[in-house]
Amino acid sequence: MGIIQKLFGRQGTKKTAKERLQIVLIHDRSDISPGLMEELRKDMIEVLSKYMEIDTGNIEMDLDRADKSVAFVANIPVVRIKRTNKSE
């Protein structure tokens, strides 16, 4: 790698562009629209909120490619677990 590439981070830009393209392809292949992802997010928050208090401002959800399959990956910060069931 030349000094110019080191200074301007050309490799990083190429790598970032490749990762972004892979994400676009994953979304296209999985046929999940941004609207559907938002609905999924709301449903997951609603269900999880029955059992635990979660930090809804820092939730990360995405689709990730593993080998030839697509995985749904979620990082949901838990503030505390609810020990009692509200329906009882």
Side-chain angles (χ1 to χ4, degrees):
M1 180 184 307
I3 186 125
I4 293 175
Q5 288 178 334
K6 286 182 182 178
L7 288 174
F8 295 106
R10 185 176 169 104
Q11 282 292 81
T13 302
K14 181 179 177 181
K15 183 179 177 184
T16 302
K18 183 180 177 181
E19 289 172 356
R20 288 180 181 160
L21 180 59
Q22 287 175 334
I23 291 170
V24 170
L25 290 173
I26 288 169
H27 283 270
D28 285 348
R29 290 179 184 160
S30 62
D31 198 26
I32 294 179
S33 68
L36 185 59
M37 281 291 284
E38 185 58 29
E39 283 183 44
L40 178 60
R41 175 187 169 92
K42 289 177 183 175
D43 288 347
M44 288 191 67
I45 289 171
E46 182 179 329
V47 170
L48 291 173
S49 294
K50 292 179 183 177
Y51 304 98
M52 57 190 75
E53 185 178 326
I54 56 177
D55 182 2
T56 57
N58 291 311
I59 293 175
E60 297 174 12
M61 295 180 178
D62 207 351
L63 298 171
D64 194 12
R65 194 171 93 189
D67 295 324
K68 294 182 179 180
S69 63
V70 177
F72 178 73
V73 180
N75 183 3
I76 303 171
V78 176
V79 176
R80 71 176 181 88
I81 303 293
K82 296 178 181 177
R83 299 291 178 200
T84 57
N85 188 350
K86 288 185 176 182
S87 63
E88 293 179 348

